[in-house]
Amino acid sequence: MKTHKNLYYKIYSWNNLTNAYRKAKKGKSKRRDVKEFEENIIENIQDLQFELMTKTYKPRPLKTFILRDPKTRKISKSDFRDRVVHHAICNIIEPIFDKIFIYDNCAGRKNKGTSFALKRFKKFQLKTTNNLTSNGYCLKADIKHYFKEVNHGILINIIKKKIKDKKTIYLITKILKNYHNKGKGMPLGNLTSQLFASVYLNELDYFIKYRLKEKRYIRYVDDFLILNYSRFKLTFLKNRIKKFLKNNLKLELHKNKSKIILLSKGVDFVGFRNYYHFKLPRQRSIRSMKRKIQLFQNNNISTNKISEIFQGWQAHTKSANTYNLRKHLTQNLKPNYSK
């Protein structure tokens, strides 16, 4: 396996830091912390470069808030200058790891995402059921409290398989330790968390694809599917995976969300309930959109904001069988808002 050294100077190079700054501010240029950073942009990037170069860089405390959309999640947000550093790290090391990720790792990767995941699911569904003419099953699995349970020691050892640069490892360790949870867990709001989440579960991907030799496997962050014509085979695989997660990654499957499903009954995956001939948005997604429209009708959300929210929701759901639903929801908006 090819390894990489002498990466640290690339992380703090001027070109990489300025590129990281542009990426970090994209879509967020109106926020106060971004404007404050931009007031003395040259000096602030120089300060970051000096701190990284001399290994005196210290992440600022995370700001934590609760997000209810649609389920309740605790988001820990880094200061803007720290987000610049996260982008700087990912600019350099993400291409290294992306080359070793399996094809069906679908989250947070170029030209991948929910649409890609759904296309792969459809392909595997057709193969498993002999073009929908026979029964097939799906192991639909979810890892319990995934981001809270990622073990820092195990993650660092996985990263070290590819990165042989002590200074880069030192910086990554410092960022992980900024999330105070006794050597485990990563904040949901960090860009680095998204990359490290994929790196960590790449071990699971290799186990399933190359040890268990399962071809019809898809993973989107900590949700994954295996399709097979045999319920018995999937029960066997589920038990092997449970042992692997516990022994190798200190993780466990979510008991209530990990089950074997008859494909014809519909499978919940990446925001949709996927049946043989159609798919529908999850009920909680529909309820969430209806709540936001209600807030808009009560003048608690501006016209511009509800327009932005609804356009995003439409873009996500229009590939499903939602024409009548979208038409109905649009009618609840003000007359000057058109679908």
Side-chain angles (χ1 to χ4, degrees):
M1 181 187 286
K2 183 180 178 181
T3 58
H4 298 262
K5 300 178 181 179
N6 302 319
L7 298 175
Y8 192 65
Y9 78 94
K10 295 181 181 180
I11 293 172
Y12 68 70
S13 72
W14 184 260
N15 285 343
N16 189 46
L17 286 174
T18 53
N19 183 29
Y21 151 71
R22 286 191 291 270
K23 286 184 176 181
K25 82 160 197 170
K26 190 174 181 180
K28 303 175 178 69
S29 57
K30 294 181 180 180
R31 293 186 180 179
R32 188 174 67 179
D33 56 350
V34 179
K35 288 181 178 179
E36 288 174 356
F37 190 88
E38 286 183 321
E39 286 175 4
N40 296 294
I41 180 66
I42 301 298
E43 183 180 339
N44 284 328
I45 293 179
Q46 284 177 336
D47 287 346
L48 268 182
Q49 186 179 47
F50 178 78
E51 290 172 23
L52 290 167
M53 193 183 304
T54 57
K55 293 174 67 177
T56 56
Y57 165 75
K58 291 182 180 179
R60 292 177 179 174
L62 298 166
K63 293 180 180 178
T64 300
F65 58 95
I66 302 299
L67 182 66
R68 295 179 175 87
D69 185 27
K71 62 182 180 181
T72 301
R73 293 179 294 164
K74 187 168 81 169
I75 306 294
S76 295
K77 179 178 148 186
S78 294
D79 188 87
F80 181 72
R81 76 192 303 270
D82 295 320
R83 298 203 297 276
V84 172
V85 174
H86 299 165
H87 277 276
I89 293 169
C90 290
N91 284 348
I92 303 304
I93 72 169
E94 185 169 13
I96 293 170
F97 285 102
D98 193 70
K99 289 177 182 177
I100 66 168
F101 289 159
I102 65 167
Y103 185 72
D104 290 308
N105 168 358
C106 302
R109 300 175 67 196
K110 190 175 181 180
N111 300 322
K112 302 286 173 85
T114 57
S115 295
F116 176 83
L118 290 170
K119 286 177 184 176
R120 296 296 284 172
F121 172 78
K122 190 65 180 177
K123 180 178 179 178
F124 293 160
Q125 182 192 57
L126 290 170
K127 284 189 173 183
T128 303
T129 61
N130 193 23
N131 287 327
L132 311 181
T133 61
S134 59
N135 281 336
Y137 299 89
C138 173
L139 169 58
K140 166 73 171 71
D142 180 282
I143 295 172
K144 186 178 179 181
H145 301 151
Y146 176 51
F147 278 84
K148 290 182 182 179
E149 296 297 327
V150 169
N151 183 286
H152 293 178
I154 294 173
L155 174 60
I156 290 296
N157 285 334
I158 293 169
I159 293 172
K160 282 180 177 178
K161 292 178 184 179
K162 293 294 293 179
I163 307 295
K164 300 295 183 182
D165 184 329
K166 290 182 179 179
K167 290 181 179 178
T168 300
I169 297 297
Y170 166 82
L171 179 59
I172 290 170
T173 303
K174 183 165 279 194
I175 287 168
L176 288 172
K177 286 183 176 179
N178 197 41
Y179 185 72
H180 302 289
N181 197 22
K182 297 181 180 178
K184 66 179 183 179
M186 301 185 298
L188 281 171
N190 280 3
L191 179 70
T192 47
S193 298
Q194 298 172 32
L195 173 59
F196 297 155
S198 269
V199 170
Y200 202 75
L201 284 184
N202 190 52
E203 302 291 301
L204 174 66
D205 296 342
Y206 273 54
F207 176 72
I208 293 173
K209 293 286 285 187
Y210 303 118
R211 291 277 299 281
L212 300 180
K213 301 188 183 301
E214 288 303 305
K215 295 180 180 179
R216 295 166 197 168
Y217 165 71
I218 318 166
R219 181 171 63 79
Y220 189 90
V221 193
D222 59 329
D223 288 342
F224 62 89
L225 307 176
I226 303 175
L227 280 69
N228 199 286
Y229 65 88
S230 168
R231 179 187 285 272
F232 177 81
K233 177 70 179 294
L234 289 176
T235 301
F236 168 78
L237 293 173
K238 182 180 178 182
N239 289 331
R240 289 288 304 274
I241 290 166
K242 282 172 66 175
K243 288 179 182 178
F244 176 84
L245 287 172
K246 181 180 179 181
N247 295 336
N248 295 71
L249 299 176
K250 308 297 182 192
L251 298 172
E252 61 180 297
L253 293 180
H254 197 295
K255 187 176 180 181
N256 297 327
K257 296 181 180 179
S258 301
K259 56 188 74 174
I260 296 166
I261 304 162
L262 188 65
L263 284 169
S264 61
K265 297 290 186 182
V267 177
D268 246 345
F269 188 50
V270 294
F272 295 93
R273 186 79 173 174
N274 300 274
Y275 297 91
Y276 275 6
H277 301 290
F278 63 97
K279 63 178 182 283
L280 298 172
R282 287 176 177 164
Q283 283 300 312
R284 72 184 185 198
S285 172
I286 298 171
R287 287 194 298 269
S288 176
M289 191 65 247
K290 286 181 176 179
R291 280 196 299 270
K292 287 167 185 171
I293 290 174
Q294 185 66 52
L295 288 171
F296 167 69
Q297 291 172 334
N298 293 334
N299 296 317
N300 292 318
I301 294 181
S302 69
T303 302
N304 288 340
K305 186 64 177 176
I306 195 65
S307 173
E308 179 186 333
I309 292 170
F310 192 63
Q311 285 177 14
W313 186 84
Q314 280 198 121
H316 176 65
T317 59
K318 70 179 180 181
S319 64
N321 301 76
T322 58
Y323 176 80
N324 289 334
L325 171 64
R326 287 183 285 120
K327 185 177 179 181
H328 170 72
L329 293 180
T330 303
Q331 289 170 352
N332 291 320
L333 301 172
K334 284 188 176 179
N336 64 349
Y337 181 79
S338 63
K339 62 175 181 170

